[in-house]
């Protein structure tokens, strides 16, 4: 019997294991429900129910988490099997198709689909924040604080003094608009679906949601700003960031152009429409917050990888200023808030136990048992 056929033979046990993990995730599901209800109440209270964005995410989120990322995971698994010596390939295959692995995959996909609703709530609330605030009242103050902290000049001027280059812009745009998403949502998929991340699963997912809510909704709504890209539109001062935006316009024809996406967001804002990943807010930066979160967790696994991840956090923060998405303080505050969220979670959320089903299937996962079954 092959490893795949063994997996189907153990389907009832896999489903029981998945149900066990789903029950353990009940607090996470409850948080999603409460957050969604709070978001709907908020939209209703400000008369912005037309800005709800739930249906927009269904197709893309399902495609990403039920097809693209699982395909990558399968390809990586196959690569692991192929690279093993013959005597160890059955062991690798046995682990990949183990009851624990498949149970985590099934329960993880359930949670990821629930997070689709979470993401819809985030975007819906973000769409409604300018309605609640009556615009973007904090851009001037935040830009002035930014300049004060950086020796009297807007930080983008320091960056452009050494890196005003179309090749640099292209690399930075690709990282910010493509690679960052692959890293962060790939990390989410891995933690949600792999038993290798079992010990940190609940804590990571709780922190993941907390960063989106606290950084991207609560603080963003309280201190709502549009960011340098929209500074002229919301303050009337088109000169302050005009040179920066003129340079970024060089890449308007690029597939990953920051300017193109910024125009897309502003057009939706002006038309009062919801769209995929719509909504405008600068302070604090969710991009930096999630990069910081992953760096903190990666440091638990390996300090050297963690150090590289923290360098990536700096790169993301610098990129956010370079591309006119954020003021520099947006990244500083986001990193600090994320660190606090992480520290609190380490105190309050214990390590997840490995499911008991591992013990029940230990003999199945041994290479000699697989050989016998064959």
């Amino acid at each position: 019997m092959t490893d795949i056929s063994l997996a189907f033979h153990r389907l009832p046990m896999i489903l029981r294991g998945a149900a066990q993990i789903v029950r353990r995730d009940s607090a996470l599901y409850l948080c999603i429900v409460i957050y969604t209800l709070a978001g709907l109440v908020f939209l209703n209270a400000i008369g912005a129910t037309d800005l709800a964005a739930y249906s927009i995410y269904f197709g893309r989120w399902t495609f990403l988490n039920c097809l693209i990322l699982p395909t990558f995971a399968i390809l990586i698994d196959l690569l692991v099997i192929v690279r093993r010596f013959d005597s160890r390939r059955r062991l690798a295959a046995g682990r990949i198709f183990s009851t624990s692995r498949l149970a985590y995959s099934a329960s993880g996909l359930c949670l990821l689909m629930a997070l689709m609703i979470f993401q819809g709530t985030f975007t819906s609330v973000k769409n409604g924040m300018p309605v609640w605030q009556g615009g973007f009242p904090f851009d001037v103050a935040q830009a002035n604080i930014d300049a004060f902290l950086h020796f009297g000049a807007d930080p983008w001027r320091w960056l452009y003094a050494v890196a005003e280059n179309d090749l640099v812009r292209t690399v930075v745009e690709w990282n910010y608009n493509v690679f960052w998403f692959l890293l962060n949502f790939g990390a989410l998929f891995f933690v949600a679906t792999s038993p290798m991340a079992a010990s940190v699963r609940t804590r990571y997912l709780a922190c993941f949601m907390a960063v989106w809510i606290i950084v991207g909704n609560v603080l963003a709504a309280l201190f709502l700003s549009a960011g340098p890209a929209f500074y002229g539109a919301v303050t009337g001062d088109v000169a302050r960031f005009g040179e920066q935006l003129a340079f970024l316009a060089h890449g308007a024809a690029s597939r990953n152009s920051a300017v193109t996406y910024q125009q897309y967001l502003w057009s939706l804002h002006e038309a009062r429409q919801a769209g995929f990943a719509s909504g405008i807010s600068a302070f604090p930066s969710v991009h930096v917050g999630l990069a910081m979160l992953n760096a903190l967790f990666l440091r638990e696994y390996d300090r050297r990888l963690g150090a590289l991840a923290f360098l990536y956090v700096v790169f993301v923060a610098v990129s956010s200023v370079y591309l006119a998405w954020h003021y520099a303080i947006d990244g500083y505050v986001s990193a600090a808030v994320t660190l606090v969220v992480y520290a609190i979670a380490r105190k309050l959320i214990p390590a997840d136990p490995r499911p008991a089903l591992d013990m029940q299937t230990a003999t199945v996962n041994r290479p000699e048992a697989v050989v016998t079954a064959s």
Side-chain angles (χ1 to χ4, degrees):
M1 187 180 295
T2 66
D3 297 302
I4 297 177
S5 61
L6 275 173
F8 282 106
H9 182 70
R10 298 195 307 270
L11 184 59
M13 188 176 293
I14 293 168
L15 294 177
R16 286 197 299 272
Q20 176 185 340
I21 300 169
V22 168
R23 286 194 296 271
R24 198 175 68 199
D25 290 338
S26 58
L28 297 173
Y29 285 103
L30 180 61
C31 288
I32 294 172
V33 170
I34 293 173
Y35 175 53
T36 300
L37 292 175
L40 292 173
V41 169
F42 171 74
L43 290 177
N44 186 67
I46 63 175
T49 54
D50 56 311
L51 294 175
Y54 293 98
S55 61
I56 294 169
Y57 279 90
F58 180 78
R60 297 191 188 190
W61 188 270
T62 303
F63 182 69
L64 175 67
N65 289 288
C66 295
L67 180 61
I68 298 299
L69 292 177
T71 299
F72 272 110
I74 291 170
L75 290 175
I76 292 172
D77 288 341
L78 291 176
L79 181 62
V80 169
I81 294 173
V82 170
R83 291 191 62 186
R84 297 281 186 174
F85 293 112
D86 288 343
S87 60
R88 300 182 65 190
R89 283 178 182 167
R90 287 188 178 276
L91 175 61
R95 288 178 177 174
I96 289 169
F97 295 107
S98 68
T99 303
S100 175
R101 172 65 182 276
L102 296 175
Y104 267 96
S105 295
S107 63
L109 287 176
C110 291
L111 186 57
L112 287 168
M113 294 309 291
L115 285 170
M116 175 181 66
I117 300 173
F118 174 91
Q119 203 67 43
T121 299
F122 173 81
T123 299
S124 301
V125 172
K126 190 174 182 180
N127 288 338
M129 293 188 308
V131 177
W132 179 62
Q133 281 280 19
F136 301 89
F138 288 95
D139 275 277
V140 173
Q142 290 172 16
N144 288 341
I145 293 171
D146 226 25
F148 174 78
L149 293 176
H150 296 88
F151 311 102
D154 291 322
W156 70 269
R157 294 192 178 276
W158 295 109
L159 294 177
Y160 279 34
V162 296
E164 187 177 354
N165 178 278
D166 284 333
L167 178 59
V168 172
R169 174 190 50 75
T170 300
V171 172
V172 170
E173 286 179 329
W174 180 83
N175 170 72
Y176 202 81
N177 296 334
V178 179
F179 190 60
W180 179 91
F181 284 93
L182 293 176
L183 279 181
N184 286 279
F185 287 97
L188 173 66
F189 180 86
F190 172 76
V191 173
T193 63
S194 174
M196 293 176 64
S199 64
V200 300
R201 188 172 186 271
T202 299
R203 181 158 56 89
Y204 178 89
L205 293 168
C207 288
F208 179 87
M209 290 192 288
V211 168
W212 283 98
I213 295 171
I214 297 172
V215 171
N217 278 165
V218 177
L219 292 177
L222 292 175
F223 305 98
L224 188 60
S225 59
F230 311 106
Y231 189 88
V234 301
T235 69
D237 181 1
V238 297
R240 185 166 190 172
F241 297 96
E243 294 177 41
Q244 181 183 18
L245 297 180
F247 168 71
L248 293 176
H250 294 177
S254 168
R255 181 180 180 88
N256 300 311
S257 167
V259 167
T260 300
Y261 187 42
Q262 288 159 359
Q263 291 172 346
Y264 158 78
L265 290 180
W266 189 253
S267 67
L268 289 175
H269 170 72
E270 286 194 310
R272 191 177 162 128
Q273 292 180 355
F276 182 78
S278 60
I280 295 173
S281 68
F283 178 91
S285 168
V286 172
H287 261 71
V288 173
L290 290 182
M292 181 70 172
L293 180 67
N294 285 324
L296 289 166
F297 274 92
L298 193 57
R299 183 179 178 274
E300 292 184 25
Y301 173 74
D302 186 287
R303 287 183 177 272
R304 286 174 294 183
L305 289 177
L308 290 175
F310 283 117
L311 289 177
Y312 183 70
V313 174
V314 174
F315 181 52
V316 171
V318 170
S319 298
S320 72
V321 175
Y322 187 93
L323 297 175
W325 284 113
H326 290 283
Y327 308 109
I329 59 171
D330 301 347
Y332 303 158
V333 172
S334 181
V337 171
T338 301
L339 180 59
V340 171
V341 168
Y342 170 81
I344 293 173
R346 288 203 71 173
K347 293 287 187 181
L348 298 181
I349 303 176
D352 289 337
R354 294 279 292 192
L357 56 91
D358 279 344
M359 298 298 295
Q360 298 169 6
T361 61
T363 56
V364 178
N365 292 334
R366 292 203 310 266
E368 60 267 28
V370 175
V371 172
T372 303
S374 299

